[in-house]
Amino acid sequence: VQNVANSMGGTGYGGGIATFRTPQIYAAENRLEANVALGVGPNGQGGGMYLNGSENMATVDWQVINNEVISNVAVFQLTDADNTYCAGGGLRLWISVEAENAALTLTGNLVDGNAAISGQALEFDGPRVEGGGASVVGFATAEIDDNRIIRNLGAERISSRAGPDGWGGAIEGGGL
C-alpha cells in the first residue's frame, strides 16, 4: 500500500508489483492499493501492477486471479516531454511483440478507482493514454472474465492533440 516506483522524472513501472521478461506468473490474492508508478514525468505504466514479457520467450503463461487493484495511478503529474506514455492505472500487462504462445488469464479481479493520469496534465503534443483500469497488449489468447472493473479513469484535466508524426493525441479505455 502506498508505494511509488519512481517519484520524479524518467520512467516508472509498477508502483506495487513489477516483473520483467518472466515467462510464467501466478499473481493471486494480492491487494494493490494507492500505488504510483511515476510521480512526475512523461512515462508511467502499471500503477498497481506491471508485467512485461519479451518476444524472445517461447511460451508465456500468466495468471492474474482474485486480486484487489484499488486507487492506483500510472502517472500522477504528466510533464511536457517527447514520448509521453501512460498506460494501465491499475494493471499494465504486455508482451513487447505478439508471441504465438502467449496466454493470459485475468479473472476474479476487482479493478476499482485507478487512473492512467491523475492530477495536472495540461496541453501536450501526442500523449498516449491507455487503460485507466487495465491495459492488456500482445497476447495470442486472453481469457478475461468475471472481473469487476469499475470507476477507472484514462485521464483527467488533459487537452490532447496528435504529435508532429500524427501519432498520439489518444485517450483509450477508461476501464480496460
Side-chain angles (χ1 to χ4, degrees):
V1 175
Q2 297 182 344
N3 299 294
V4 177
N6 183 352
S7 63
M8 183 174 285
T11 300
Y13 298 116
I17 295 173
T19 68
F20 298 85
R21 295 179 279 297
T22 307
Q24 294 187 338
I25 296 173
Y26 179 76
E29 305 292 333
N30 297 293
R31 182 175 178 93
L32 303 167
E33 184 175 1
N35 299 294
V36 176
L38 179 62
V40 177
N43 185 346
Q45 300 179 44
M49 181 185 297
Y50 174 86
L51 307 181
N52 167 264
S54 167
E55 67 275 9
N56 298 325
M57 297 187 307
T59 302
V60 174
D61 181 15
W62 292 352
Q63 298 178 43
V64 180
I65 300 170
N66 297 330
N67 296 285
E68 293 181 349
V69 184
I70 302 168
S71 300
N72 298 286
V73 175
V75 177
F76 183 74
Q77 183 174 336
L78 186 66
T79 58
D80 190 1
D82 292 334
N83 302 316
T84 300
Y85 191 68
C86 309
L91 302 169
R92 172 70 164 146
L93 314 173
W94 78 288
I95 306 295
S96 56
V97 174
E98 188 170 314
E100 273 184 40
N101 297 317
L104 170 67
T105 302
L106 182 65
T107 188
N109 298 286
L110 171 63
V111 181
D112 183 7
N114 301 284
I117 300 174
S118 178
Q120 186 174 7
L122 298 175
E123 188 168 304
F124 301 104
D125 288 336
R128 184 95 174 144
V129 181
E130 297 176 357
S135 174
V136 177
V137 176
F139 293 88
T141 61
E143 177 185 332
I144 301 174
D145 64 1
D146 197 31
N147 297 288
R148 290 190 60 218
I149 301 174
I150 56 175
R151 295 185 296 246
N152 297 288
L153 180 66
E156 63 183 345
R157 295 187 299 244
I158 186 169
S159 174
S160 177
R161 61 183 181 262
D165 61 358
W167 181 254
I171 299 171
E172 302 172 348
L176 174 65

